[in-house]
Amino acid sequence: MPSSQALHDSFRRNIVFTLHLQVAPDGAALHDALDAIRAAGARVGDIAVGQPAGPQIDYTVTVFTTGDKQLAAVREKVSAVKDVTLTQVVDVALESHRGGACEMRGRSAIRTNTDLRVVYTPGVARVCKAIEAQPELAREYTGIYNKVAIATNGTAILGLGDIGCVPGMPVMEGKSAIFWEFVGISAEPILVDTHDPELFIRVLETIAPTFGAIQIEDVKAPECFRITRELDEKLPIPVFHDDQHGTATVVLAGLFSALKKTGKRIEDMTTAICGAGAAGTAIADLLLLAGAPDVVLVDSKGIIDTGRGDLNPDKRALAERTNKHKVTGGLADAMKGRELFIGVSQPDIVSQDMVRSMAKDPIVFALANPVSEISVADAYDAGAAVAADGRMMNNALAYPGIFRGALDSRARSITLEMMMAAAHALAAIVPEGSLMPEMMDPNTHRAVANAVAKAAGK
């Protein structure tokens, strides 16, 4: 059975609602209501039958839409159907986060005074003293080494930008739920309300003893580079920036999979990357480590090269290790003759002519969300051998298993070699006819965790 992600990808309708309908029992009215939903451009998912409501029958219909505008059209058309009453519309995303998408709870029931005395005082003092005497026992008698801090300051939440850390909390809670569901890690959102990288670093240093690893999430560039780098240097636990390293791992996995389909070699993958922020920089570094011969990056002002005088220190360092032929110009110049295009930037900035200007049968990964640099259909029409968008390359394929493997192997950091091992593991289990493995399959995350632990030397 396909996952919800697979259904979303198939329908290209990613905002989900449920409609509660009261419908005449003859069957024709329900058929007309479903036709009305489709006429509005939405797609119908599950249909559940409720109890009869007098002469009518209750139905709950799952509807996949492109958003509020399409939902309004659905409402209008369904409300016009004879013998159908639309009684309620439920925003599934909002409801799934009502009260928060995750919570911390005890693992032992407390039903008697004896239970209380074992879990808490006086029994807990014995555990404290044991750890004081032998600090390594914290691994056995606390949850520290199965905890991940998901830390953000809200400056780069999804594609929404700097909306603040509290509005970004649903993203952190959603990731926490993913960690627990896929790999059994207890991940706790940490909101750090500051734009000051130094203060952010200090806060995370101070609370680090609570956790076995830290995931930096949705912190804007270039501050994210300094934060991740300094925390990784200072702390004895893994520090991983998902927007950099998770994205890079999934992109490399997709490339390995595409190479199998096309018979191309990584050594021939001259590459243009549109977007020189956190994701683009990490993708470039991982591609170069994997053997890509030449990578050119483009930001909003053009190709990153050492001759530009407007580069910040991070981009200047990026220019030193990329663009070995000193190409200049804009995005069209960067793509010309290249085997691979990767977009992590803005919607609708790549034309079919740009794709046609690339090498024969290029690979095109247009990953901007929610709208790609070029649609998959247009990329194929322009001659792409393989094309993918951001819906097909979800970071959740990688980061749960990466953290599971890092924690299990007691790694002190997550290296590029561990990320490459994760990418190879993902590419090795891609089903026939697909580009990426199934995210809902537990074997996907187990394969990544095992590969990462092995790369860590355990």
Side-chain angles (χ1 to χ4, degrees), residues 161-175:
D162 186 354
I163 64 173
C165 54
V166 173
M169 182 63 157
V171 178
M172 309 308 121
E173 291 187 330
K175 300 201 83 152

Side-chain angles (χ1 to χ4, degrees), residues 216-291:
I216 305 300
E217 183 69 25
D218 291 350
V219 176
K220 70 181 179 71
E223 289 88 342
C224 61
F225 301 121
R226 177 187 171 190
I227 288 169
T228 305
R229 181 174 58 249
E230 291 194 18
L231 285 173
D232 192 44
E233 291 171 353
K234 291 179 177 182
L235 298 177
I237 59 175
V239 178
F240 182 88
H241 183 204
D242 189 41
D243 301 313
Q244 290 183 71
H245 307 122
T247 302
T249 301
V250 171
V251 168
L252 186 60
L255 177 58
F256 286 150
S257 178
L259 294 177
K260 289 182 183 178
K261 294 178 180 300
T262 60
K264 294 175 180 283
R265 304 184 314 145
I266 188 103
E267 293 81 6
D268 299 324
M269 285 294 105
T270 52
T271 304
I273 300 175
C274 185
T281 299
I283 291 167
D285 287 338
L286 199 56
L287 284 175
L288 291 170
L289 182 66

Side-chain angles (χ1 to χ4, degrees), residues 225 229 281 284-285 288 297 304-306 308 311-323 326:
F225 301 121
R229 181 174 58 249
T281 299
D285 287 338
L288 291 170
L297 293 99
I304 301 292
D305 76 277
T306 54
R308 278 178 49 179
L311 301 179
N312 63 38
D314 288 299
K315 285 188 179 179
R316 178 154 297 282
L318 183 61
E320 294 288 349
R321 61 185 187 268
T322 60
N323 193 7
K326 308 302 180 185

Side-chain angles (χ1 to χ4, degrees), residues 167-387:
M169 182 63 157
V171 178
M172 309 308 121
E173 291 187 330
K175 300 201 83 152
S176 178
I178 288 170
F179 267 116
W180 183 257
E181 186 66 32
F182 289 167
V183 292
I185 288 174
S186 178
E188 298 177 18
I190 303 294
L191 305 183
V192 186
D193 192 9
T194 181
H195 284 59
D196 181 353
E198 187 172 336
L199 179 56
F200 191 104
I201 291 166
R202 182 59 186 148
V203 169
L204 268 294
E205 279 187 278
T206 303
I207 66 171
T210 314
F211 302 99
I214 293 173
Q215 176 164 294
I216 305 300
E217 183 69 25
D218 291 350
V219 176
K220 70 181 179 71
E223 289 88 342
C224 61
F225 301 121
R226 177 187 171 190
I227 288 169
T228 305
R229 181 174 58 249
E230 291 194 18
L231 285 173
D232 192 44
E233 291 171 353
K234 291 179 177 182
L235 298 177
I237 59 175
V239 178
F240 182 88
H241 183 204
D242 189 41
D243 301 313
Q244 290 183 71
H245 307 122
T247 302
T249 301
V250 171
V251 168
L252 186 60
L255 177 58
F256 286 150
S257 178
L259 294 177
K260 289 182 183 178
K261 294 178 180 300
T262 60
K264 294 175 180 283
R265 304 184 314 145
I266 188 103
E267 293 81 6
D268 299 324
M269 285 294 105
T270 52
T271 304
I273 300 175
C274 185
T281 299
I283 291 167
D285 287 338
L286 199 56
L287 284 175
L288 291 170
L289 182 66
D294 184 30
V295 178
V296 172
L297 293 99
V298 182
D299 66 8
S300 60
K301 297 180 180 179
I303 292 173
I304 301 292
D305 76 277
T306 54
R308 278 178 49 179
D310 62 339
L311 301 179
N312 63 38
D314 288 299
K315 285 188 179 179
R316 178 154 297 282
L318 183 61
E320 294 288 349
R321 61 185 187 268
T322 60
N323 193 7
K324 68 179 185 180
H325 296 298
K326 308 302 180 185
V327 179
T328 59
L331 178 57
D333 302 295
M335 292 178 65
K336 196 170 297 182
R338 299 271 158 173
E339 294 278 354
L340 171 64
F341 168 78
I342 299 169
V344 281
S345 55
Q346 300 175 24
D348 298 325
I349 60 173
V350 172
S351 68
Q352 287 188 313
D353 284 342
M354 290 180 186
V355 176
R356 292 187 186 102
S357 78
M358 297 177 70
K360 188 176 186 300
D361 299 324
I363 297 169
V364 176
F365 294 161
L367 308 180
N369 269 320
V371 179
S372 302
E373 289 84 357
I374 184 171
S375 72
V376 170
D378 283 352
Y380 276 125
D381 285 347
V386 176

